[in-house]
Amino acid sequence: MASSMAWSQQGDVVATQDANVRVETVVDGLEHPWAVEVLPDGAYIVTERPGRLRIVRDGALSDPLGGLPEIRAAGQGGLLDVALAPDFAQSRLLFLTASVPGEGGAGTAVFRAKLSADEKKLENVERIFAMNKFTGAGQHFGSRIAIDRDGALFFGIGDRGDGPRAQDPKDHAGKLMRISQDGKVPADNPFAKGGDALPEIWSMGHRNPQGITIDPADGRLITVEHGARGGDEINVPQAGKNYGWPVISYGVNYSGSQIGEGSAKEGLEQPLHYWDPSIAPGAIAIYRGEMFPEWDGDFIVAALKYQLISRVPRDADGSIGPEERLFQGDYGRIRDVVVAPDGALLMVTDEDNGALLRVSRASNS
């Protein structure tokens, strides 16, 4: 179900199934923003895919921060996600994902850095992970970050446009990874004690997981990933399991031909939910907040193709309800969505003149 919109001088008031919401532009003038996080004092930190990191405070956009590592911004690659360490308020540590140049072309890497006290640069920048096979392909870099209750980093890397890599246990492409904040392998990783797969790997068979989050209520890892023509998926990746790409899929190749062996095969996991046709999901959040109690536990998915937010309800038993589509075509390609500490939604739009938007409950709802 689509939402309807009415203009307000203080933003757009949008009628949804459960409440009227207000959509306000916090700041625009961003070039293809990819991710947003909320700093402890309520300001925002935003990545721009061409390779810039900025602070947004009181509606003002900072100059690009200095000290960023070398980044290869081409195709779908560039500066991607940002995540704050759980103790950021004390340590000022943050983590970035980016596509970087190297032998053979480019690949996905993870960096740890400290935000300087004056917020003008990154300090002590350290690359703590890089995928093991760089290529010249310009697509499917992943790569969001989620930090679990033990402080470990989950992040995804896409198949880099070469589907069979997702089934190679000695290749980082098409996998979810889990590493410590210093880049080491946690002892409880599924392949940490050896076996047929690289020790950083958590799960495999992923096409291009660009949305990763952890449910604050139960600590479960949830991902959303791009299919081909159809087959965008929400998964609950479990340690050591295989999610099928490109052996199984609910989509088809762009030519219309069948992918792999169909939609199911013994030993390969099924998605929790899938879309056909594709919505091109850019990020996923799980709503846990006070502002919209009606959405508690629902999946909130940013979509690029139809320029919308997909709200996927979940019942108390975990079953999936009918999707509600919000803001379709109103703001452009929505790349990221997060739940702010006050329960509002924050979105960034992946456009030449991209914006940071805030979605709050309208007072007349």
Side-chain angles (χ1 to χ4, degrees), residues 23-30 33 35-38 42-46 54-57 59-61 331 336-338 345-350 353-359:
V23 184
E24 300 168 282
T25 300
V26 178
V27 70
D28 56 14
L30 294 160
V36 60
E37 284 283 354
V38 184
Y44 309 106
I45 188 166
V46 182
R54 296 180 186 262
I55 306 291
V56 179
R57 178 173 282 108
L61 187 63
Y331 301 106
D336 194 15
V337 61
V338 300
L345 298 181
L346 301 171
M347 312 184 300
V348 296
T349 62
D350 186 4
N353 180 20
L356 169 60
L357 306 173
R358 180 176 182 269
V359 181

PDB file of all heavy atoms in Angstrom, residues 23-30 33 35-38 42-46 54-57 59-61 331 336-338 345-350 353-359:
ATOM      1  N   VAL A  23       8.128  14.496   7.166  1.00  0.00           N
ATOM      2  CA  VAL A  23       9.433  14.284   6.548  1.00  0.00           C
ATOM      3  C   VAL A  23      10.095  15.641   6.361  1.00  0.00           C
ATOM      4  O   VAL A  23       9.591  16.490   5.621  1.00  0.00           O
ATOM      5  CB  VAL A  23       9.314  13.554   5.193  1.00  0.00           C
ATOM      6  CG1 VAL A  23      10.707  13.266   4.630  1.00  0.00           C
ATOM      7  CG2 VAL A  23       8.517  12.263   5.335  1.00  0.00           C
ATOM      8  N   GLU A  24      11.202  15.854   7.043  1.00  0.00           N
ATOM      9  CA  GLU A  24      11.918  17.130   6.997  1.00  0.00           C
ATOM     10  C   GLU A  24      13.314  16.921   6.422  1.00  0.00           C
ATOM     11  O   GLU A  24      13.948  15.893   6.684  1.00  0.00           O
ATOM     12  CB  GLU A  24      12.040  17.715   8.403  1.00  0.00           C
ATOM     13  CG  GLU A  24      10.707  17.988   9.070  1.00  0.00           C
ATOM     14  CD  GLU A  24      10.875  18.290  10.549  1.00  0.00           C
ATOM     15  OE1 GLU A  24      11.069  17.347  11.323  1.00  0.00           O
ATOM     16  OE2 GLU A  24      10.825  19.484  10.913  1.00  0.00           O
ATOM     17  N   THR A  25      13.772  17.893   5.667  1.00  0.00           N
ATOM     18  CA  THR A  25      15.135  17.876   5.155  1.00  0.00           C
ATOM     19  C   THR A  25      16.063  18.466   6.202  1.00  0.00           C
ATOM     20  O   THR A  25      15.961  19.642   6.546  1.00  0.00           O
ATOM     21  CB  THR A  25      15.240  18.667   3.847  1.00  0.00           C
ATOM     22  OG1 THR A  25      14.380  18.087   2.865  1.00  0.00           O
ATOM     23  CG2 THR A  25      16.676  18.653   3.321  1.00  0.00           C
ATOM     24  N   VAL A  26      16.957  17.620   6.731  1.00  0.00           N
ATOM     25  CA  VAL A  26      17.944  18.104   7.693  1.00  0.00           C
ATOM     26  C   VAL A  26      19.007  18.915   6.970  1.00  0.00           C
ATOM     27  O   VAL A  26      19.394  19.998   7.401  1.00  0.00           O
ATOM     28  CB  VAL A  26      18.575  16.921   8.451  1.00  0.00           C
ATOM     29  CG1 VAL A  26      19.645  17.418   9.417  1.00  0.00           C
ATOM     30  CG2 VAL A  26      17.509  16.131   9.192  1.00  0.00           C
ATOM     31  N   VAL A  27      19.499  18.378   5.845  1.00  0.00           N
ATOM     32  CA  VAL A  27      20.484  19.070   5.030  1.00  0.00           C
ATOM     33  C   VAL A  27      20.464  18.451   3.649  1.00  0.00           C
ATOM     34  O   VAL A  27      20.167  17.268   3.482  1.00  0.00           O
ATOM     35  CB  VAL A  27      21.898  18.969   5.657  1.00  0.00           C
ATOM     36  CG1 VAL A  27      22.450  17.554   5.563  1.00  0.00           C
ATOM     37  CG2 VAL A  27      22.872  19.963   5.061  1.00  0.00           C
ATOM     38  N   ASP A  28      20.740  19.261   2.633  1.00  0.00           N
ATOM     39  CA  ASP A  28      20.914  18.728   1.288  1.00  0.00           C
ATOM     40  C   ASP A  28      22.294  19.150   0.789  1.00  0.00           C
ATOM     41  O   ASP A  28      23.145  19.582   1.555  1.00  0.00           O
ATOM     42  CB  ASP A  28      19.783  19.157   0.345  1.00  0.00           C
ATOM     43  CG  ASP A  28      19.620  20.666   0.261  1.00  0.00           C
ATOM     44  OD1 ASP A  28      20.537  21.404   0.708  1.00  0.00           O
ATOM     45  OD2 ASP A  28      18.591  21.132  -0.264  1.00  0.00           O
ATOM     46  N   GLY A  29      22.546  18.994  -0.508  1.00  0.00           N
ATOM     47  CA  GLY A  29      23.859  19.334  -1.029  1.00  0.00           C
ATOM     48  C   GLY A  29      24.894  18.251  -0.833  1.00  0.00           C
ATOM     49  O   GLY A  29      26.097  18.500  -0.989  1.00  0.00           O
ATOM     50  N   LEU A  30      24.454  17.029  -0.504  1.00  0.00           N
ATOM     51  CA  LEU A  30      25.358  15.896  -0.369  1.00  0.00           C
ATOM     52  C   LEU A  30      25.454  15.165  -1.703  1.00  0.00           C
ATOM     53  O   LEU A  30      24.451  14.997  -2.398  1.00  0.00           O
ATOM     54  CB  LEU A  30      24.834  14.928   0.699  1.00  0.00           C
ATOM     55  CG  LEU A  30      24.810  15.462   2.139  1.00  0.00           C
ATOM     56  CD1 LEU A  30      23.856  14.644   2.998  1.00  0.00           C
ATOM     57  CD2 LEU A  30      26.220  15.430   2.732  1.00  0.00           C
ATOM     58  N   PRO A  33      25.169  10.496  -0.899  1.00  0.00           N
ATOM     59  CA  PRO A  33      25.402  10.004   0.460  1.00  0.00           C
ATOM     60  C   PRO A  33      25.047   8.526   0.560  1.00  0.00           C
ATOM     61  O   PRO A  33      24.105   8.052  -0.074  1.00  0.00           O
ATOM     62  CB  PRO A  33      24.474  10.872   1.311  1.00  0.00           C
ATOM     63  CG  PRO A  33      23.395  11.317   0.375  1.00  0.00           C
ATOM     64  CD  PRO A  33      24.076  11.490  -0.950  1.00  0.00           C
ATOM     65  N   ALA A  35      25.611   6.607   3.870  1.00  0.00           N
ATOM     66  CA  ALA A  35      25.310   6.144   5.230  1.00  0.00           C
ATOM     67  C   ALA A  35      25.255   7.318   6.187  1.00  0.00           C
ATOM     68  O   ALA A  35      25.912   8.336   5.982  1.00  0.00           O
ATOM     69  CB  ALA A  35      26.371   5.144   5.699  1.00  0.00           C
ATOM     70  N   VAL A  36      24.492   7.126   7.258  1.00  0.00           N
ATOM     71  CA  VAL A  36      24.381   8.131   8.317  1.00  0.00           C
ATOM     72  C   VAL A  36      24.389   7.426   9.666  1.00  0.00           C
ATOM     73  O   VAL A  36      23.855   6.327   9.812  1.00  0.00           O
ATOM     74  CB  VAL A  36      23.100   8.983   8.152  1.00  0.00           C
ATOM     75  CG1 VAL A  36      21.838   8.121   8.197  1.00  0.00           C
ATOM     76  CG2 VAL A  36      23.026  10.084   9.209  1.00  0.00           C
ATOM     77  N   GLU A  37      25.019   8.065  10.644  1.00  0.00           N
ATOM     78  CA  GLU A  37      24.960   7.629  12.040  1.00  0.00           C
ATOM     79  C   GLU A  37      24.748   8.866  12.913  1.00  0.00           C
ATOM     80  O   GLU A  37      25.110   9.987  12.524  1.00  0.00           O
ATOM     81  CB  GLU A  37      26.252   6.918  12.455  1.00  0.00           C
ATOM     82  CG  GLU A  37      26.381   5.498  11.930  1.00  0.00           C
ATOM     83  CD  GLU A  37      25.535   4.486  12.695  1.00  0.00           C
ATOM     84  OE1 GLU A  37      24.921   4.871  13.721  1.00  0.00           O
ATOM     85  OE2 GLU A  37      25.478   3.325  12.267  1.00  0.00           O
ATOM     86  N   VAL A  38      24.195   8.648  14.100  1.00  0.00           N
ATOM     87  CA  VAL A  38      23.927   9.734  15.039  1.00  0.00           C
ATOM     88  C   VAL A  38      25.045   9.780  16.076  1.00  0.00           C
ATOM     89  O   VAL A  38      25.347   8.775  16.727  1.00  0.00           O
ATOM     90  CB  VAL A  38      22.570   9.545  15.743  1.00  0.00           C
ATOM     91  CG1 VAL A  38      22.267  10.747  16.634  1.00  0.00           C
ATOM     92  CG2 VAL A  38      21.454   9.354  14.718  1.00  0.00           C
ATOM     93  N   GLY A  42      23.759  14.239  19.271  1.00  0.00           N
ATOM     94  CA  GLY A  42      22.623  14.439  18.385  1.00  0.00           C
ATOM     95  C   GLY A  42      22.981  14.933  16.997  1.00  0.00           C
ATOM     96  O   GLY A  42      22.100  15.020  16.134  1.00  0.00           O
ATOM     97  N   ALA A  43      24.240  15.281  16.757  1.00  0.00           N
ATOM     98  CA  ALA A  43      24.670  15.617  15.399  1.00  0.00           C
ATOM     99  C   ALA A  43      24.762  14.324  14.587  1.00  0.00           C
ATOM    100  O   ALA A  43      24.617  13.210  15.108  1.00  0.00           O
ATOM    101  CB  ALA A  43      26.007  16.334  15.427  1.00  0.00           C
ATOM    102  N   TYR A  44      25.013  14.474  13.281  1.00  0.00           N
ATOM    103  CA  TYR A  44      25.060  13.325  12.378  1.00  0.00           C
ATOM    104  C   TYR A  44      26.423  13.252  11.684  1.00  0.00           C
ATOM    105  O   TYR A  44      27.041  14.278  11.416  1.00  0.00           O
ATOM    106  CB  TYR A  44      23.968  13.437  11.311  1.00  0.00           C
ATOM    107  CG  TYR A  44      22.594  13.708  11.862  1.00  0.00           C
ATOM    108  CD1 TYR A  44      22.011  14.979  11.733  1.00  0.00           C
ATOM    109  CD2 TYR A  44      21.877  12.718  12.525  1.00  0.00           C
ATOM    110  CE1 TYR A  44      20.753  15.236  12.242  1.00  0.00           C
ATOM    111  CE2 TYR A  44      20.613  12.972  13.036  1.00  0.00           C
ATOM    112  CZ  TYR A  44      20.049  14.232  12.896  1.00  0.00           C
ATOM    113  OH  TYR A  44      18.807  14.497  13.412  1.00  0.00           O
ATOM    114  N   ILE A  45      26.848  12.036  11.395  1.00  0.00           N
ATOM    115  CA  ILE A  45      28.020  11.829  10.564  1.00  0.00           C
ATOM    116  C   ILE A  45      27.559  11.079   9.322  1.00  0.00           C
ATOM    117  O   ILE A  45      26.817  10.092   9.420  1.00  0.00           O
ATOM    118  CB  ILE A  45      29.133  11.099  11.341  1.00  0.00           C
ATOM    119  CG1 ILE A  45      30.418  11.072  10.520  1.00  0.00           C
ATOM    120  CG2 ILE A  45      28.705   9.713  11.802  1.00  0.00           C
ATOM    121  CD1 ILE A  45      31.648  10.688  11.336  1.00  0.00           C
ATOM    122  N   VAL A  46      27.965  11.565   8.142  1.00  0.00           N
ATOM    123  CA  VAL A  46      27.445  11.079   6.870  1.00  0.00           C
ATOM    124  C   VAL A  46      28.606  10.787   5.930  1.00  0.00           C
ATOM    125  O   VAL A  46      29.561  11.575   5.834  1.00  0.00           O
ATOM    126  CB  VAL A  46      26.503  12.123   6.220  1.00  0.00           C
ATOM    127  CG1 VAL A  46      25.927  11.602   4.906  1.00  0.00           C
ATOM    128  CG2 VAL A  46      25.372  12.508   7.164  1.00  0.00           C
ATOM    129  N   ARG A  54      31.432  13.741   6.382  1.00  0.00           N
ATOM    130  CA  ARG A  54      31.029  15.059   6.876  1.00  0.00           C
ATOM    131  C   ARG A  54      30.224  14.940   8.166  1.00  0.00           C
ATOM    132  O   ARG A  54      29.609  13.911   8.439  1.00  0.00           O
ATOM    133  CB  ARG A  54      30.169  15.788   5.832  1.00  0.00           C
ATOM    134  CG  ARG A  54      30.890  16.104   4.528  1.00  0.00           C
ATOM    135  CD  ARG A  54      29.927  16.824   3.606  1.00  0.00           C
ATOM    136  NE  ARG A  54      30.424  17.066   2.261  1.00  0.00           N
ATOM    137  CZ  ARG A  54      30.959  18.201   1.852  1.00  0.00           C
ATOM    138  NH1 ARG A  54      31.118  19.197   2.704  1.00  0.00           N
ATOM    139  NH2 ARG A  54      31.346  18.359   0.600  1.00  0.00           N
ATOM    140  N   ILE A  55      30.221  16.041   8.912  1.00  0.00           N
ATOM    141  CA  ILE A  55      29.407  16.183  10.116  1.00  0.00           C
ATOM    142  C   ILE A  55      28.258  17.140   9.802  1.00  0.00           C
ATOM    143  O   ILE A  55      28.467  18.172   9.151  1.00  0.00           O
ATOM    144  CB  ILE A  55      30.224  16.737  11.296  1.00  0.00           C
ATOM    145  CG1 ILE A  55      31.479  15.893  11.548  1.00  0.00           C
ATOM    146  CG2 ILE A  55      29.357  16.827  12.548  1.00  0.00           C
ATOM    147  CD1 ILE A  55      31.226  14.520  12.079  1.00  0.00           C
ATOM    148  N   VAL A  56      27.064  16.812  10.254  1.00  0.00           N
ATOM    149  CA  VAL A  56      25.899  17.697  10.126  1.00  0.00           C
ATOM    150  C   VAL A  56      25.449  18.061  11.537  1.00  0.00           C
ATOM    151  O   VAL A  56      25.075  17.190  12.323  1.00  0.00           O
ATOM    152  CB  VAL A  56      24.745  17.017   9.367  1.00  0.00           C
ATOM    153  CG1 VAL A  56      23.548  17.960   9.270  1.00  0.00           C
ATOM    154  CG2 VAL A  56      25.191  16.562   7.984  1.00  0.00           C
ATOM    155  N   ARG A  57      25.539  19.336  11.844  1.00  0.00           N
ATOM    156  CA  ARG A  57      25.144  19.810  13.171  1.00  0.00           C
ATOM    157  C   ARG A  57      24.339  21.092  13.019  1.00  0.00           C
ATOM    158  O   ARG A  57      24.749  22.017  12.325  1.00  0.00           O
ATOM    159  CB  ARG A  57      26.370  20.044  14.066  1.00  0.00           C
ATOM    160  CG  ARG A  57      26.019  20.583  15.438  1.00  0.00           C
ATOM    161  CD  ARG A  57      27.210  20.660  16.381  1.00  0.00           C
ATOM    162  NE  ARG A  57      27.537  19.339  16.921  1.00  0.00           N
ATOM    163  CZ  ARG A  57      28.594  18.640  16.570  1.00  0.00           C
ATOM    164  NH1 ARG A  57      29.450  19.134  15.661  1.00  0.00           N
ATOM    165  NH2 ARG A  57      28.813  17.450  17.102  1.00  0.00           N
ATOM    166  N   GLY A  59      21.785  21.716  11.324  1.00  0.00           N
ATOM    167  CA  GLY A  59      21.410  21.976   9.935  1.00  0.00           C
ATOM    168  C   GLY A  59      22.547  22.428   9.042  1.00  0.00           C
ATOM    169  O   GLY A  59      22.315  22.733   7.871  1.00  0.00           O
ATOM    170  N   ALA A  60      23.759  22.490   9.567  1.00  0.00           N
ATOM    171  CA  ALA A  60      24.912  22.954   8.791  1.00  0.00           C
ATOM    172  C   ALA A  60      25.802  21.770   8.437  1.00  0.00           C
ATOM    173  O   ALA A  60      26.044  20.878   9.265  1.00  0.00           O
ATOM    174  CB  ALA A  60      25.702  23.993   9.569  1.00  0.00           C
ATOM    175  N   LEU A  61      26.313  21.786   7.216  1.00  0.00           N
ATOM    176  CA  LEU A  61      27.156  20.720   6.698  1.00  0.00           C
ATOM    177  C   LEU A  61      28.618  21.126   6.830  1.00  0.00           C
ATOM    178  O   LEU A  61      29.026  22.187   6.344  1.00  0.00           O
ATOM    179  CB  LEU A  61      26.799  20.474   5.228  1.00  0.00           C
ATOM    180  CG  LEU A  61      27.434  19.294   4.518  1.00  0.00           C
ATOM    181  CD1 LEU A  61      27.017  17.984   5.169  1.00  0.00           C
ATOM    182  CD2 LEU A  61      27.030  19.306   3.039  1.00  0.00           C
ATOM    183  N   TYR A 331      11.202  11.272  -2.958  1.00  0.00           N
ATOM    184  CA  TYR A 331      12.463  11.867  -2.524  1.00  0.00           C
ATOM    185  C   TYR A 331      13.680  11.365  -3.292  1.00  0.00           C
ATOM    186  O   TYR A 331      14.785  11.816  -3.028  1.00  0.00           O
ATOM    187  CB  TYR A 331      12.675  11.609  -1.021  1.00  0.00           C
ATOM    188  CG  TYR A 331      11.559  12.183  -0.197  1.00  0.00           C
ATOM    189  CD1 TYR A 331      10.594  11.357   0.375  1.00  0.00           C
ATOM    190  CD2 TYR A 331      11.430  13.564  -0.028  1.00  0.00           C
ATOM    191  CE1 TYR A 331       9.541  11.894   1.110  1.00  0.00           C
ATOM    192  CE2 TYR A 331      10.384  14.102   0.696  1.00  0.00           C
ATOM    193  CZ  TYR A 331       9.443  13.259   1.262  1.00  0.00           C
ATOM    194  OH  TYR A 331       8.402  13.794   1.979  1.00  0.00           O
ATOM    195  N   ASP A 336      20.038   4.701   2.609  1.00  0.00           N
ATOM    196  CA  ASP A 336      20.209   4.234   3.981  1.00  0.00           C
ATOM    197  C   ASP A 336      18.999   4.631   4.796  1.00  0.00           C
ATOM    198  O   ASP A 336      18.344   5.653   4.515  1.00  0.00           O
ATOM    199  CB  ASP A 336      21.481   4.837   4.601  1.00  0.00           C
ATOM    200  CG  ASP A 336      21.902   4.144   5.893  1.00  0.00           C
ATOM    201  OD1 ASP A 336      21.393   3.038   6.164  1.00  0.00           O
ATOM    202  OD2 ASP A 336      22.751   4.704   6.628  1.00  0.00           O
ATOM    203  N   VAL A 337      18.696   3.823   5.803  1.00  0.00           N
ATOM    204  CA  VAL A 337      17.670   4.173   6.790  1.00  0.00           C
ATOM    205  C   VAL A 337      18.119   3.634   8.137  1.00  0.00           C
ATOM    206  O   VAL A 337      18.591   2.498   8.234  1.00  0.00           O
ATOM    207  CB  VAL A 337      16.282   3.620   6.394  1.00  0.00           C
ATOM    208  CG1 VAL A 337      16.282   2.095   6.304  1.00  0.00           C
ATOM    209  CG2 VAL A 337      15.206   4.109   7.354  1.00  0.00           C
ATOM    210  N   VAL A 338      18.039   4.475   9.172  1.00  0.00           N
ATOM    211  CA  VAL A 338      18.385   4.065  10.527  1.00  0.00           C
ATOM    212  C   VAL A 338      17.334   4.621  11.478  1.00  0.00           C
ATOM    213  O   VAL A 338      16.647   5.608  11.175  1.00  0.00           O
ATOM    214  CB  VAL A 338      19.787   4.551  10.951  1.00  0.00           C
ATOM    215  CG1 VAL A 338      20.858   3.998  10.033  1.00  0.00           C
ATOM    216  CG2 VAL A 338      19.857   6.069  10.984  1.00  0.00           C
ATOM    217  N   LEU A 345      13.006   8.126  12.093  1.00  0.00           N
ATOM    218  CA  LEU A 345      13.787   7.489  11.049  1.00  0.00           C
ATOM    219  C   LEU A 345      14.663   8.532  10.380  1.00  0.00           C
ATOM    220  O   LEU A 345      14.240   9.676  10.161  1.00  0.00           O
ATOM    221  CB  LEU A 345      12.889   6.854   9.983  1.00  0.00           C
ATOM    222  CG  LEU A 345      11.944   5.735  10.400  1.00  0.00           C
ATOM    223  CD1 LEU A 345      11.170   5.230   9.182  1.00  0.00           C
ATOM    224  CD2 LEU A 345      12.698   4.595  11.054  1.00  0.00           C
ATOM    225  N   LEU A 346      15.887   8.143  10.044  1.00  0.00           N
ATOM    226  CA  LEU A 346      16.787   8.972   9.264  1.00  0.00           C
ATOM    227  C   LEU A 346      17.041   8.277   7.939  1.00  0.00           C
ATOM    228  O   LEU A 346      17.271   7.062   7.905  1.00  0.00           O
ATOM    229  CB  LEU A 346      18.107   9.193   9.997  1.00  0.00           C
ATOM    230  CG  LEU A 346      18.010   9.862  11.366  1.00  0.00           C
ATOM    231  CD1 LEU A 346      19.351   9.810  12.060  1.00  0.00           C
ATOM    232  CD2 LEU A 346      17.517  11.301  11.234  1.00  0.00           C
ATOM    233  N   MET A 347      17.003   9.033   6.836  1.00  0.00           N
ATOM    234  CA  MET A 347      17.221   8.481   5.507  1.00  0.00           C
ATOM    235  C   MET A 347      18.199   9.366   4.758  1.00  0.00           C
ATOM    236  O   MET A 347      18.228  10.580   4.956  1.00  0.00           O
ATOM    237  CB  MET A 347      15.904   8.429   4.711  1.00  0.00           C
ATOM    238  CG  MET A 347      14.726   7.840   5.449  1.00  0.00           C
ATOM    239  SD  MET A 347      13.230   7.693   4.434  1.00  0.00           S
ATOM    240  CE  MET A 347      12.918   9.410   3.948  1.00  0.00           C
ATOM    241  N   VAL A 348      19.010   8.750   3.892  1.00  0.00           N
ATOM    242  CA  VAL A 348      19.794   9.536   2.941  1.00  0.00           C
ATOM    243  C   VAL A 348      19.403   9.122   1.534  1.00  0.00           C
ATOM    244  O   VAL A 348      19.083   7.954   1.269  1.00  0.00           O
ATOM    245  CB  VAL A 348      21.316   9.388   3.142  1.00  0.00           C
ATOM    246  CG1 VAL A 348      21.731   9.939   4.494  1.00  0.00           C
ATOM    247  CG2 VAL A 348      21.793   7.963   2.972  1.00  0.00           C
ATOM    248  N   THR A 349      19.434  10.102   0.627  1.00  0.00           N
ATOM    249  CA  THR A 349      19.019   9.862  -0.753  1.00  0.00           C
ATOM    250  C   THR A 349      20.235   9.849  -1.666  1.00  0.00           C
ATOM    251  O   THR A 349      21.043  10.779  -1.655  1.00  0.00           O
ATOM    252  CB  THR A 349      18.018  10.934  -1.219  1.00  0.00           C
ATOM    253  OG1 THR A 349      18.622  12.229  -1.180  1.00  0.00           O
ATOM    254  CG2 THR A 349      16.792  10.931  -0.324  1.00  0.00           C
ATOM    255  N   ASP A 350      20.353   8.792  -2.434  1.00  0.00           N
ATOM    256  CA  ASP A 350      21.520   8.556  -3.285  1.00  0.00           C
ATOM    257  C   ASP A 350      21.342   9.296  -4.607  1.00  0.00           C
ATOM    258  O   ASP A 350      20.977   8.715  -5.626  1.00  0.00           O
ATOM    259  CB  ASP A 350      21.666   7.047  -3.514  1.00  0.00           C
ATOM    260  CG  ASP A 350      22.931   6.684  -4.264  1.00  0.00           C
ATOM    261  OD1 ASP A 350      23.734   7.592  -4.543  1.00  0.00           O
ATOM    262  OD2 ASP A 350      23.114   5.501  -4.582  1.00  0.00           O
ATOM    263  N   ASN A 353      22.454  15.565  -5.903  1.00  0.00           N
ATOM    264  CA  ASN A 353      22.157  16.497  -4.821  1.00  0.00           C
ATOM    265  C   ASN A 353      21.374  15.725  -3.773  1.00  0.00           C
ATOM    266  O   ASN A 353      20.164  15.821  -3.670  1.00  0.00           O
ATOM    267  CB  ASN A 353      21.365  17.701  -5.322  1.00  0.00           C
ATOM    268  CG  ASN A 353      21.042  18.698  -4.211  1.00  0.00           C
ATOM    269  OD1 ASN A 353      21.681  18.711  -3.159  1.00  0.00           O
ATOM    270  ND2 ASN A 353      20.032  19.524  -4.436  1.00  0.00           N
ATOM    271  N   GLY A 354      22.088  14.910  -3.016  1.00  0.00           N
ATOM    272  CA  GLY A 354      21.448  14.051  -2.034  1.00  0.00           C
ATOM    273  C   GLY A 354      21.139  14.799  -0.751  1.00  0.00           C
ATOM    274  O   GLY A 354      21.676  15.876  -0.478  1.00  0.00           O
ATOM    275  N   ALA A 355      20.253  14.207   0.042  1.00  0.00           N
ATOM    276  CA  ALA A 355      19.787  14.861   1.255  1.00  0.00           C
ATOM    277  C   ALA A 355      19.764  13.878   2.415  1.00  0.00           C
ATOM    278  O   ALA A 355      19.657  12.665   2.235  1.00  0.00           O
ATOM    279  CB  ALA A 355      18.388  15.436   1.045  1.00  0.00           C
ATOM    280  N   LEU A 356      19.863  14.435   3.607  1.00  0.00           N
ATOM    281  CA  LEU A 356      19.585  13.721   4.844  1.00  0.00           C
ATOM    282  C   LEU A 356      18.193  14.136   5.287  1.00  0.00           C
ATOM    283  O   LEU A 356      17.924  15.327   5.468  1.00  0.00           O
ATOM    284  CB  LEU A 356      20.628  14.069   5.904  1.00  0.00           C
ATOM    285  CG  LEU A 356      20.337  13.595   7.343  1.00  0.00           C
ATOM    286  CD1 LEU A 356      20.216  12.094   7.422  1.00  0.00           C
ATOM    287  CD2 LEU A 356      21.413  14.129   8.294  1.00  0.00           C
ATOM    288  N   LEU A 357      17.299  13.158   5.450  1.00  0.00           N
ATOM    289  CA  LEU A 357      15.907  13.407   5.792  1.00  0.00           C
ATOM    290  C   LEU A 357      15.590  12.791   7.146  1.00  0.00           C
ATOM    291  O   LEU A 357      16.148  11.751   7.522  1.00  0.00           O
ATOM    292  CB  LEU A 357      14.965  12.810   4.740  1.00  0.00           C
ATOM    293  CG  LEU A 357      15.208  13.218   3.287  1.00  0.00           C
ATOM    294  CD1 LEU A 357      14.309  12.419   2.361  1.00  0.00           C
ATOM    295  CD2 LEU A 357      14.964  14.711   3.102  1.00  0.00           C
ATOM    296  N   ARG A 358      14.668  13.430   7.864  1.00  0.00           N
ATOM    297  CA  ARG A 358      14.215  12.915   9.164  1.00  0.00           C
ATOM    298  C   ARG A 358      12.714  12.699   9.115  1.00  0.00           C
ATOM    299  O   ARG A 358      11.960  13.591   8.690  1.00  0.00           O
ATOM    300  CB  ARG A 358      14.565  13.897  10.285  1.00  0.00           C
ATOM    301  CG  ARG A 358      14.131  13.451  11.677  1.00  0.00           C
ATOM    302  CD  ARG A 358      14.609  14.433  12.745  1.00  0.00           C
ATOM    303  NE  ARG A 358      14.253  14.002  14.089  1.00  0.00           N
ATOM    304  CZ  ARG A 358      13.122  14.332  14.713  1.00  0.00           C
ATOM    305  NH1 ARG A 358      12.228  15.119  14.103  1.00  0.00           N
ATOM    306  NH2 ARG A 358      12.878  13.878  15.936  1.00  0.00           N
ATOM    307  N   VAL A 359      12.281  11.519   9.537  1.00  0.00           N
ATOM    308  CA  VAL A 359      10.867  11.142   9.541  1.00  0.00           C
ATOM    309  C   VAL A 359      10.417  11.026  10.984  1.00  0.00           C
ATOM    310  O   VAL A 359      10.905  10.168  11.730  1.00  0.00           O
ATOM    311  CB  VAL A 359      10.639   9.796   8.813  1.00  0.00           C
ATOM    312  CG1 VAL A 359       9.168   9.435   8.803  1.00  0.00           C
ATOM    313  CG2 VAL A 359      11.189   9.858   7.392  1.00  0.00           C
TER     314      VAL A 359
END
